[in-house]
Amino acid sequence: AQKVTQAQTEISVVEKEDVTLDCVYETRDTTYYLFWYKQPPSGELVFLIRRNSFDEQNEISGRYSWNFQKSTSSFNFTITASQVVDSAVYFCALSDTGRRALTFGSGTRLQVQP
Amino acid sequence: NAGVMQNPRHLVRRRGQEARLRCSPMKGHSHVYWYRQLPEEGLKFMVYLQKENIIDESGMPKERFSAEFPKEGPSILRIQQVVRGDSAAYFCASSPTVTGGLFFGEGSRLTVL
């Protein structure tokens, strides 16, 4: 069975601090995808990134970066120089190519204080 | 190119009534997924459909819930005889292919009084 664990329920930082959101996953599949989504207070789900299990290169997109480590089954997300607009719930998710359904973690609520 | 459209955005029903939630996928997307998000929880997969076919309904409650994706028109998630525990946000997502990225709609928030 697949499982995604986001151990940090809530994180509070002050603007301009860097913050890392942890994601640990479990799967028996050799081919799978990992995702991060952002859910701002307005409630919609915003797609941030999808990563194939064969691609372990770290990715950077502006202030966002992702560290994928297969050896520790982790796919952590770092926001550099956080801003108030980053305040949201962030979800990590996992899917296998066969079943196609996403398994979501329980989310990490990030509060960025001005 | 419009995103995934869900309506209604908010729906209030009394216990025992029926709720119908609609989802129009992105243009060119033939794969539709429904997820449920209970308050303060992550999203849980319910059902995966392609045009006119249910591919995976392993996350659907066995009773009162049904989903369809007809040849023409939006996908419909139907909840009969709603109960208070059905109060949640229901998200639809679509994808152009089995391995394509999932794009979510803004969700439909059901409140059962």
Side-chain angles (χ1 to χ4, degrees), chain A residues 49-64:
Chain A
I49 190 170
R50 180 180 73 148
R51 175 50 51 89
N52 182 306
S53 56
F54 293 114
D55 182 3
E56 284 195 72
Q57 274 196 334
N58 290 334
E59 176 135 353
I60 298 175
S61 175
R63 296 184 297 107
Y64 296 169

Side-chain angles (χ1 to χ4, degrees), chain A residues 26-44:
Chain A
E26 293 175 32
T27 179
R28 292 199 190 103
D29 300 307
T30 54
T31 303
Y32 50 89
Y33 292 91
L34 293 160
F35 301 76
W36 276 94
Y37 286 88
K38 174 183 179 180
Q39 188 173 41
S42 47
E44 73 271 24

Side-chain angles (χ1 to χ4, degrees), chain A residues 33 35 37 39 41-47 50 89 91 96-107 109, chain B residues 9 33 35 37 40-45 48 56 58-59 91 95 97-106 109:
Chain A
Y33 292 91
F35 301 76
Y37 286 88
Q39 188 173 41
S42 47
E44 73 271 24
L45 273 176
V46 178
F47 169 79
R50 180 180 73 148
V89 181
F91 291 99
D96 65 72
T97 52
R99 185 164 177 258
R100 212 44 198 93
L102 289 183
T103 299
F104 280 82
S106 53
R109 183 179 298 277
Chain B
R9 293 290 312 279
Y33 307 79
Y35 288 80
Q37 184 179 30
E40 305 299 321
E41 291 188 16
L43 281 78
K44 297 283 193 295
F45 167 76
Y48 162 35
D56 181 351
S58 57
F91 285 91
S95 175
T97 63
V98 173
T99 55
L102 275 187
F103 295 87
F104 282 83
E106 294 185 326
R109 279 147 185 86

Side-chain angles (χ1 to χ4, degrees), chain B residues 6-69:
Chain B
Q6 289 189 248
N7 70 82
R9 293 290 312 279
H10 300 274
L11 182 64
V12 179
R13 284 288 178 265
R14 296 194 180 280
R15 279 178 297 170
Q17 291 184 320
E18 178 179 288
R20 280 188 185 227
L21 309 177
R22 286 175 289 279
C23 168
S24 296
M26 288 180 71
K27 191 175 179 182
H29 288 196
S30 58
H31 302 255
V32 165
Y33 307 79
W34 285 93
Y35 288 80
R36 178 164 64 174
Q37 184 179 30
L38 295 171
E40 305 299 321
E41 291 188 16
L43 281 78
K44 297 283 193 295
F45 167 76
M46 298 180 76
V47 61
Y48 162 35
L49 310 103
Q50 289 183 40
K51 281 288 186 182
E52 299 184 274
N53 291 308
I54 295 174
I55 307 301
D56 181 351
E57 57 181 347
S58 57
M60 285 278 269
K62 294 285 182 274
E63 296 175 349
R64 303 188 298 107
F65 284 72
S66 61
E68 63 176 12
F69 189 16

